Amino acid sequence: MGDSAPTSRISVHQALGAGLVADVLLWRKWCGGVVILASATAFWCLFELATYSIVSFVANVLLLLVVILFFWAKSASLLNRPLPPLPNLEISERNAGKIAKELQVWVNYALSIAHDITLGQDLKLFLKVTVGLWFVSYIGSFFNFLTFIYIGIVLSLSVPMLYDKYQHHVDEKLSVTHKIMQAQYRKIDETVLRKLPLPANRVKKMQ
């Protein structure tokens, strides 16, 4: 009775939204995963290995689509057949408002980070951003943008599934790694970072 209740752990499926996207990323709807992976592989081979131009591909697809729909509509009027079943091609005001609101949240979040870094108020955040940007720049030097996107799709279809399968073991390793990184950061903070004159401290002294 003295034992404390175990902490509830959120499943990967719940963390991903517990919807269609989570089912596809965890291969519970394997048809969707296969279609996405096969399509991404085909596009990557087409544009990267066959050196086909993206602009030419998009133009040719749109040209073929316009020609097919035009002759379909003409033949339907001549043969008294129904017109092509096209949906209403417009964005509703409600959906546009949702998109704008979501973009506003992310833009304001990015601007707040830039504001804190510029004023030197959060050195830890500055180090995270600089290390993250350096890592992206380093990885991007080995691949072009299309290959980078393809690797991201492959990882998004493999990492969540593997983490869901071995979540307990991965969490243990990550917990140990996080403790080691925290200990190293404390050492750097005590020996180096706290001795640096920050702009925020100068402003406080001037006030």
Side-chain angles (χ1 to χ4, degrees):
M1 295 179 62
D3 296 338
S4 59
T7 57
S8 59
R9 178 177 296 175
I10 301 177
S11 65
V12 180
H13 189 261
Q14 292 176 342
L16 293 174
L20 179 62
V21 176
D23 293 336
V24 172
L25 293 180
L26 295 177
W27 290 86
R28 297 185 180 182
K29 291 186 179 295
W30 62 271
C31 293
V34 169
V35 169
I36 294 175
L37 183 60
S39 301
T41 304
F43 274 96
W44 182 79
C45 292
L46 181 65
F47 296 127
E48 187 66 21
L49 300 182
T51 64
Y52 197 71
S53 174
I54 297 180
V55 177
S56 299
F57 175 78
V58 173
N60 289 332
V61 169
L62 292 177
L63 176 62
L64 183 62
L65 182 62
V66 168
V67 170
I68 291 175
L69 292 176
F70 177 79
F71 284 104
W72 187 352
K74 287 296 182 181
S75 61
S77 62
L78 293 175
L79 301 176
N80 293 325
R81 298 285 184 177
L83 293 174
L86 288 176
N88 191 13
L89 301 177
E90 66 177 12
I91 300 177
S92 64
E93 185 177 352
R94 180 180 179 183
N95 292 332
K98 288 182 179 180
I99 296 173
K101 187 176 293 185
E102 190 69 22
L103 287 175
Q104 181 186 11
V105 172
W106 285 101
V107 170
N108 289 336
Y109 178 69
L111 291 176
S112 65
I113 292 177
H115 179 268
D116 293 340
I117 292 176
T118 304
L119 296 180
Q121 295 178 353
D122 195 338
L123 186 58
K124 188 175 182 180
L125 178 63
F126 168 75
L127 293 176
K128 287 181 179 179
V129 172
T130 51
V131 171
L133 292 177
W134 174 83
F135 181 75
V136 172
S137 176
Y138 180 76
I139 296 298
S141 63
F142 295 98
F143 314 103
N144 57 25
F145 182 72
L146 184 61
T147 304
F148 191 74
I149 294 297
Y150 177 69
I151 292 175
I153 294 174
V154 174
L155 291 178
S156 65
L157 291 173
S158 57
V159 172
M161 179 189 64
L162 294 174
Y163 179 70
D164 184 51
K165 188 175 182 180
Y166 304 104
Q167 183 177 5
H168 180 69
H169 301 287
V170 174
D171 286 345
E172 289 181 351
K173 300 298 182 182
L174 289 177
S175 178
V176 174
T177 305
H178 184 258
K179 291 179 180 178
I180 295 175
M181 292 180 64
Q182 279 189 328
Q184 295 298 325
Y185 177 79
R186 290 195 195 98
K187 292 180 181 179
I188 297 175
D189 185 43
E190 293 175 356
T191 57
V192 179
L193 300 182
R194 291 186 180 180
K195 298 179 181 180
L196 295 176
L198 298 179
N201 296 333
R202 294 179 181 176
V203 172
K204 290 180 180 179
K205 291 179 180 180
M206 292 177 63
Q207 293 176 350

